[in-house]
């Protein structure tokens, strides 16, 4: 009886409080629902990009131009800045380099530079873009040097007006399927500046903000998740997809011999970076504020060496009222990017693979790069400007100033991003790596190895900007006879990921091959060819692996389309190699 009485009291108590309990549960449910909706509203899912290009390079720019011809707005480009174009724009080098070396074998001479500049060997769209502004600088480094701002606004941007681009967007995470061989989702952060004025923060201060999902006093943020794409293109300047996907890659000097894929070399040394800037020559001596930045760590030393102040000025000059590369005039504007000047040779740009992995696995991703290297490179370039100003001959003393902010798109006068000479590099299908034997040889050979799966052509000498803090193996030098060469589809594959297309500096290539492939014209042609590859793979839904396009039937179809965009054969002395 006592038990029944206690049970009755318990049930009465529940009955008296059931209304209160019901209200509490209802309130909890509403709070949970609001929280779920809020989280979902912070992340937008984009599922209609069949081909996703992770960009930031001249290769990515070339790729979206060709891919959009076939896929329209079903191809998407993720651009980390507000200037697409990579080296040509955001990295502030609108004075493209071309191969210019003359090779000799006894009494036989091969003028590679002349061959490279022949119209039949040039990408027609790239030539059209360069010809649009012409050589407004009468520089000595290139037949075409023009103002970066004008090149972006008048040449690049109009050609992208129908493209689907997510500007100011960086990659935060990469997800793969259960097999680990397909990338299925990309998490990104897109920032919207709160002000229309160019940013006055240096990249070393601003970069963590780019990768943070939280709004800041400078930006509002959107989290975008890209999914349901068929193929993804690694066209980033820093090889971030390779690092975030947790796949094998090479960086810097991770080779004990050319083409080595063991990864046992030095991952913390490689090419120097350069923070490019513009200088203008004033009509009268003009005071500038003192250098606001301290001397960089492992930097701050500059030299004209065996050249002159005048030669440096006209080397990458992008505007002049004169008609001669030998004259200097008031209102001249020049790009500063040279090895004994603003090249920062003190610290390597990329974090070690171990540090990169920690940044990725702790969800603290910020590009996998060394922010201290960026900071010291900024300081080094500022110091170079003031040093070079002090070196001016009497005629031009105190008349060189930083060019106006709009010319660089930043109010600190430096480029939006540092100029990169290398990236993280893929290891291709069946461990393929482009090595020196494929692009070098005797002048009498005329050209490099002709791959069955070739997609485009290029040439440039091995060009290493050494870091003085590093030791290089004896073979890691620039004394190689680089011939007119070919780029194969296999270089645009990855052994671990079936739907990844690495392009430009992230291709499957050795350190030394990258040093000969990394220049503007070659990068653009690679991108144009890769855009065709990506579009073809999307249209042929039976293709699940990039390597499947090495099948002869697919390959011949792809090559026939690529020819409409960029040359695949070299024309040398009036003859095509190969003639197909």
């Amino acid at each position: 009886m006592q038990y029944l009485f206690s049970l009755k009291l318990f049930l009465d108590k529940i009955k008296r409080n059931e209304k209160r309990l019901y209200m509490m549960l209802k309130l909890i449910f509403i709070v949970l629902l609001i929280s779920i909706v809020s989280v979902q509203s912070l992340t937008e899912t984009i599922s209609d990009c069949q081909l996703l290009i992770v960009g930031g390079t001249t290769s990515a720019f070339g790729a979206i131009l060709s891919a959009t011809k076939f896929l329209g707005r079903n191809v998407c480009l993720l651009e980390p800045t507000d200037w697409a174009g990579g080296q040509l724009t955001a990295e502030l080098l609108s004075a493209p380099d071309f191969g210019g070396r003359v090779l000799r074998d006894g009494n036989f001479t091969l003028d590679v530079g002349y061959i490279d500049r022949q119209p039949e060997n040039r990408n027609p769209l790239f030539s059209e873009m360069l010809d649009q502004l012409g050589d407004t600088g009468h520089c000595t480094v290139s037949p075409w040097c023009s103002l970066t701002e004008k090149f972006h606004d008048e040449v690049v941007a109009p050609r992208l007006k129908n493209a689907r681009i997510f500007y100011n967007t960086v990659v935060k995470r990469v997800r793969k399927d259960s097999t680990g061989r397909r990338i299925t989702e990309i998490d990104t952060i897109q920032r919207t500046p709160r002000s229309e004025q160019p940013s006055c923060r240096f990249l070393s201060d601003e970069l963590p903000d780019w990768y943070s999902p939280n709004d800041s006093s400078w930006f509002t943020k959107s989290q975008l998740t890209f999914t349901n794409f068929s193929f993804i293109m690694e066209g980033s300047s820093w090889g971030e997809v390779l690092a975030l996907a947790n796949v094998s890659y090479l960086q810097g000097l991770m080779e004990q011999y050319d083409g080595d894929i063991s990864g046992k070399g030095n991952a913390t040394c490689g090419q120097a970076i350069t923070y490019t800037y513009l200088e203008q020559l004033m009509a009268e001596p003009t005071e500038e504020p003192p250098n606001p930045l301290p001397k960089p760590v492992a930097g701050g030393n500059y030299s004209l060496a065996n050249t002159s102040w005048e030669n440096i000025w006209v080397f990458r000059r992008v505007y002049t009222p004169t008609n001669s590369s030998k004259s200097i005039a008031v209102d001249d504007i020049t790009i500063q990017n040279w090895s004994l000047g603003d090249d920062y040779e003190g610290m390597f740009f990329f974090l070690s693979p171990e540090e990169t992995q920690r940044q990725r696995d702790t969800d603290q991703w910020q590009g996998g790069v060394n922010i201290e290297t960026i900071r010291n490179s900024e300081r080094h370039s500022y110091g170079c400007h003031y040093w070079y100003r002090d070196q001016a001959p009497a005629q031009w003393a105190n008349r060189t100033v930083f060019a106006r902010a709009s010319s660089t798109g930043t109010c600190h006068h430096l480029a939006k991003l540092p100029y990169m000479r290398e990236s993280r590099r893929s290891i291709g299908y069946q461990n393929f790596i482009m090595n020196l034997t494929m692009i070098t040889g005797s002048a009498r050979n005329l050209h490099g190895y002709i791959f069955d799966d070739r997609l485009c052509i290029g040439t440039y000498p091995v060009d290493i900007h050494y870091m003085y803090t590093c030791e290089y193996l004896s073979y890691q030098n620039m004394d190689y006879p680089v011939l007119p060469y070919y780029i194969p589809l296999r270089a645009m594959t990855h052994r671990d990921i079936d739907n990844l297309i690495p392009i430009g500096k992230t291709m499957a290539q050795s350190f030394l091959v990258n040093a000969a492939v990394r220049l503007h014209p070659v990068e653009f042609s690679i991108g144009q060819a890769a855009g065709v590859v990506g579009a073809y793979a999307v249209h042929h839904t039976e293709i699940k692996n990039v390597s499947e396009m090495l099948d002869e039937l697919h390959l011949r179809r792809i090559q026939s389309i690529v020819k409409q965009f960029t040359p695949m054969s070299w024309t040398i002395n009036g003859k095509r190699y190969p003639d197909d």
Side-chain angles (χ1 to χ4, degrees):
M1 288 295 294
Q2 183 66 34
Y3 169 77
L4 292 176
F5 180 72
S6 298
L7 181 60
K8 182 176 183 302
L9 290 176
F10 177 71
L11 293 174
D12 288 343
K13 187 174 182 181
I14 290 177
K15 188 174 181 180
R16 287 194 303 271
N17 292 306
E18 66 181 0
K19 187 173 182 180
R20 183 185 302 171
L21 183 62
Y22 170 77
M23 293 302 295
M24 287 178 63
L25 290 173
K26 184 176 180 180
L27 180 62
I28 292 171
F29 176 77
I30 291 171
V31 170
L32 286 172
L33 185 62
I34 291 173
S35 299
I36 292 170
V37 171
S38 297
V39 169
Q40 290 177 337
S41 66
L42 289 173
T43 303
E44 178 184 355
T45 299
I46 298 169
S47 58
D48 60 344
C49 298
Q50 294 175 299
L51 175 63
L52 184 63
I53 303 173
V54 180
T57 60
T58 300
S59 263
F61 170 49
I64 194 168
L65 290 176
S66 57
T68 300
K69 297 281 188 182
F70 305 99
L71 298 176
R73 294 184 66 78
N74 290 122
V75 55
C76 300
L77 173 66
L78 310 182
E79 168 56 46
T81 72
D82 57 352
W83 279 10
Q87 294 166 296
L88 290 163
T89 56
E91 295 182 14
L92 207 65
L93 206 63
S94 50
D97 294 90
F98 287 82
R101 183 172 291 182
V102 176
L103 302 181
R104 292 182 174 85
D105 183 358
N107 61 358
F108 184 87
T109 298
L110 186 71
D111 190 339
V112 178
Y114 174 80
I115 294 168
D116 187 37
R117 288 190 292 273
Q118 296 311 295
E120 56 268 34
N121 293 326
R122 290 166 50 194
N123 180 288
L125 179 55
F126 196 72
S127 297
E128 175 189 302
M129 291 191 299
L130 295 180
D131 288 341
Q132 184 172 332
L133 294 181
D135 185 16
T136 60
H138 295 288
C139 63
T140 58
V141 72
S142 172
W144 298 271
C145 293
S146 58
L147 282 163
T148 310
E149 176 192 18
K150 287 178 68 68
F151 194 85
H152 173 265
D153 293 349
E154 299 179 21
V155 178
V156 173
R159 287 173 170 79
L160 294 173
K161 63 182 180 181
N162 295 321
R164 191 174 175 191
I165 304 177
F166 294 81
Y167 286 104
N168 293 323
T169 301
V170 295
V171 178
K172 185 71 173 179
R173 297 176 202 87
V174 169
R175 295 188 179 89
K176 297 181 287 187
D177 67 5
S178 58
T179 70
R181 294 200 58 87
R182 292 188 69 81
I183 296 175
T184 56
E185 286 189 0
I186 298 285
D187 289 342
T188 69
I189 296 172
Q190 186 177 52
R191 62 192 186 280
T192 301
R194 294 185 184 273
S195 170
E196 294 183 0
Q197 298 301 314
S199 172
C200 278
R201 288 196 297 173
F202 290 100
L203 182 65
S204 59
D205 297 321
E206 192 169 89
L207 192 64
D209 197 358
W210 287 17
Y211 288 90
S212 170
N214 303 318
D215 291 349
S216 69
S217 57
W218 298 87
F219 304 109
T220 59
K221 308 289 183 60
S222 300
Q223 297 183 60
L224 310 177
T225 293
F226 292 83
T227 187
N228 203 38
F229 47 81
S230 299
F231 288 85
I232 181 168
M233 202 169 288
E234 167 60 292
S236 69
S237 193
W238 303 346
E240 293 183 73
V241 176
L242 294 176
L244 284 169
N246 193 18
V247 297
S248 52
Y249 64 86
L250 301 171
Q251 70 179 42
L253 308 180
M254 289 175 67
E255 302 169 13
Q256 296 175 314
Y257 56 87
D258 184 63
D260 176 24
I261 62 171
S262 68
K264 294 181 180 179
N266 189 345
T268 59
C269 281
Q271 294 264 19
I273 66 167
T274 304
Y275 234 121
T276 311
Y277 57 93
L278 298 176
E279 288 182 324
Q280 185 169 2
L281 199 59
M282 308 302 286
E284 301 291 338
T286 304
E287 290 298 319
E288 276 204 309
N291 187 350
L293 301 181
K295 184 177 178 178
V297 174
N301 299 310
Y302 317 99
S303 172
L304 292 174
N306 296 321
T307 190
S308 66
W309 187 95
E310 292 88 349
N311 286 343
I312 295 296
W313 184 264
V314 299
F315 184 57
R316 294 191 189 274
R317 186 173 56 185
V318 289
Y319 173 77
T320 182
T322 72
N323 292 314
S324 170
S325 62
K326 298 180 180 179
S327 301
I328 296 176
V330 171
D331 292 331
D332 274 6
I333 298 177
T334 190
I335 292 174
Q336 292 288 6
N337 181 304
W338 50 292
S339 58
L340 296 177
D342 51 345
D343 271 15
Y344 178 63
E345 305 164 346
M347 300 169 67
F348 193 49
F349 183 78
F350 295 101
L351 295 177
S352 70
E354 294 76 19
E355 293 170 307
T356 298
Q357 180 179 348
R358 281 195 295 272
Q359 195 177 91
R360 179 192 68 229
D361 293 348
T362 57
D363 202 28
Q364 301 296 315
W365 186 253
Q366 294 180 3
V369 301
N370 189 339
I371 291 181
E372 286 305 304
T373 301
I374 298 174
R375 178 171 290 111
N376 284 295
S377 180
E378 293 161 347
R379 295 172 177 178
H380 185 77
S381 287
Y382 256 66
C384 183
H385 164 67
Y386 285 92
W387 173 86
Y388 183 74
R389 175 180 162 94
D390 290 342
Q391 304 304 306
Q395 181 183 3
W396 307 114
N398 297 318
R399 291 165 66 176
T400 56
V401 299
F402 277 125
R404 64 187 187 279
S406 62
S407 299
T408 61
T410 62
C411 70
H412 53 57
H413 306 293
L414 303 181
K416 292 175 182 288
L417 292 172
Y419 179 75
M420 300 298 300
R421 298 181 175 90
E422 66 176 315
S423 183
R424 298 177 174 100
R425 306 186 299 276
S426 173
I427 300 175
Y429 174 64
Q430 295 183 338
N431 294 331
F432 176 82
I433 289 282
M434 277 188 74
N435 64 57
L436 277 175
T437 65
M438 301 169 181
I439 68 170
T440 60
S442 165
R444 296 178 187 271
N445 293 341
L446 300 183
H447 54 77
Y449 180 77
I450 300 176
F451 299 93
D452 288 340
D453 58 328
R454 77 190 193 283
L455 289 182
C456 61
I457 60 176
T459 190
Y460 197 79
V462 172
D463 186 14
I464 303 172
H465 287 236
Y466 293 100
M467 298 173 59
Y468 79 87
T469 53
C470 293
E471 292 186 6
Y472 295 77
L473 298 179
S474 59
Y475 82 90
Q476 291 165 343
N477 63 73
M478 297 187 279
D479 190 24
Y480 294 99
V482 178
L483 298 163
Y485 55 71
Y486 305 84
I487 304 289
L489 172 58
R490 275 171 289 173
M492 305 178 200
T493 63
H494 196 285
R495 69 181 185 185
D496 302 332
I497 300 292
D498 296 338
N499 65 334
L500 181 64
I501 306 172
I503 61 175
K505 289 184 279 291
T506 68
M507 290 192 311
Q509 57 191 323
S510 71
F511 172 76
L512 292 178
V513 169
N514 170 77
V517 171
R518 62 179 178 78
L519 281 303
H520 310 59
V522 188
E523 277 222 357
F524 186 81
S525 295
I526 291 168
Q528 291 262 275
V532 172
V533 170
Y536 183 92
V538 167
H539 276 304
H540 291 262
T541 55
E542 74 276 12
I543 295 176
K544 305 300 180 185
N545 190 325
V546 178
S547 65
E548 292 175 28
M549 287 179 280
L550 293 169
D551 174 81
E552 186 173 0
L553 179 61
H554 289 309
L555 186 59
R556 300 302 169 241
R557 289 173 177 170
I558 290 168
Q559 289 174 326
S560 68
I561 302 171
V562 169
K563 287 178 183 178
Q564 301 171 32
F565 291 87
T566 195
M568 288 175 44
S569 296
W570 281 101
T571 299
I572 303 173
N573 298 328
K575 184 177 179 180
R576 283 167 49 84
Y577 299 90
D579 189 13
D580 56 7

